[in-house]
Amino acid sequence: MVVIPALNEALRIREVVEGALAQCAQVIVIDDGSDDGTGECIADLPVTVLRHPQRQGKGASLRDGFAEAQRRGAAAVITMDGDGQHSADDIARLIDSANRHPGHIVIGARLRKRASQPTYRRLANNFGDWGVAWGTGYQVADSQSGQRLYPAEVIALRDVPGEDFVFEAQILMSAAQQLGTRCVSVPIESRYHSDDSQQQFRASHFKPLRDFTRITSHIVLQCLRRGGVPEVYRSIRANPPLIDDPSGEFVEGVKAHANLR
């Protein structure tokens, strides 16, 4: 099933949902208190819409979407953002990767056309990847991507702490710590507004300074509570990102980048 959290996504939500429906018959949209008519844009489409009367944040939206998917017996859940930055055409690639790597969380890593990604976002994402590694014990390529495939046992985790974007970092860490689950990354294309692009995107809800401060402080507190910092560091160094890229285009480059950290 596809789960799409949405907050004021009237600009692109219909396109996103129609693309998801072309790949998967069961789509769940969580309208997180939108006031721009997001829900009305998809009212005639064969999807399940869960609406929050007031904004509760991305973490709450994903929790509710996971609970509904689990109630319906989903074998796995694919998440996509509602702003159009993820291509539904990549859903099949994530599923293929999940079949090659059973039990893994599959991340659509924005490695293709990275030049279109704003520099501050690229640097912030690199910093976030290194931070999340301290919670997982292994390195992850594009730990901030919202396009992911979660196996059923991961969406069944309860009491995963963290709100808003912290939740997406924490669920990777909780899955690693409680289930021994690893991530595998599938290269996808970065999709951002640029001067030479006709695509329009709303301003991102993700604020690098604010949200990375929240994520980092959250991870640091966990690491201090758990202890064993030298052991975690050695584990991180010994486990570079796992990239599922049959072409081999990105694997060596990502490993080399990881070894420089």
Side-chain angles (χ1 to χ4, degrees):
M1 300 182 188
V2 177
V3 169
I4 304 173
L7 169 63
N8 291 335
E9 303 290 10
L11 179 64
R12 303 292 294 273
I13 190 64
R14 187 175 183 91
E15 170 194 338
V16 170
V17 172
E18 288 179 336
L21 284 170
Q23 302 289 332
C24 183
Q26 298 192 70
V27 176
I28 301 168
V29 177
I30 303 87
D31 183 353
D32 190 30
S34 299
D35 57 14
D36 68 343
T38 291
E40 289 79 356
C41 291
I42 56 173
D44 62 325
L45 297 179
V47 299
T48 298
V49 179
L50 310 178
R51 176 165 174 79
H52 295 161
Q54 297 178 327
R55 180 180 179 181
Q56 297 183 26
K58 193 174 186 182
S61 296
L62 289 172
R63 286 189 186 94
D64 288 348
F66 290 170
E68 179 65 16
Q70 187 182 23
R71 186 183 70 80
R72 294 177 177 224
V77 162
I78 292 174
T79 58
M80 296 177 59
D81 292 342
D83 60 1
Q85 288 192 20
H86 303 140
S87 171
D89 292 340
D90 289 320
I91 289 176
R93 299 178 62 237
L94 268 63
I95 294 173
D96 287 344
S97 182
N99 288 331
R100 288 191 292 269
H101 300 274
H104 285 62
I105 296 171
V106 183
I107 295 178
R110 295 160 293 183
L111 301 176
R112 300 186 186 280
K113 295 186 179 180
R114 292 201 77 190
S116 67
Q117 189 178 31
T119 301
Y120 73 93
R121 288 292 298 271
R122 186 164 61 250
L123 294 174
N125 285 343
N126 288 340
F127 177 76
D129 289 349
W130 186 236
V132 168
W134 284 93
T136 59
Y138 62 86
Q139 297 175 49
V140 182
D142 201 359
S143 63
Q144 308 306 308
S145 173
Q147 189 170 33
R148 303 176 177 180
L149 182 148
Y150 296 97
E153 59 269 23
V154 174
I155 68 169
L157 287 171
R158 293 293 175 261
D159 301 321
V160 177
E163 300 304 326
D164 294 317
F165 294 98
V166 174
F167 177 81
E168 288 186 295
Q170 179 61 55
I171 196 167
L172 302 184
M173 297 187 293
S174 292
Q177 295 164 16
Q178 298 181 36
L179 303 174
T181 303
R182 279 204 60 169
C183 294
V184 57
S185 296
V186 174
I188 64 171
E189 181 179 321
S190 298
R191 286 155 56 102
Y192 293 93
H193 174 71
S194 61
D195 293 337
D196 58 352
S197 172
Q198 298 301 311
Q199 292 181 314
Q200 297 295 317
F201 300 98
R202 58 118 176 101
S204 176
H205 296 311
F206 188 89
K207 306 302 180 186
L209 181 59
R210 179 198 66 187
D211 291 309
F212 274 119
T213 298
R214 291 176 178 174
I215 292 169
T216 302
S217 60
H218 181 83
I219 294 170
V220 168
L221 286 173
Q222 283 203 26
C223 290
L224 292 176
R225 291 191 188 109
R226 291 204 323 271
V229 171
E231 291 80 4
V232 174
Y233 178 75
R234 285 193 290 270
S235 177
I236 293 170
R237 296 287 293 179
N239 291 278
L242 178 59
I243 308 294
D244 186 3
D245 177 31
S247 73
E249 179 182 357
F250 294 95
V251 177
E252 294 304 321
V254 171
K255 285 184 178 179
H257 177 64
N259 288 333
L260 289 174
R261 293 176 170 178

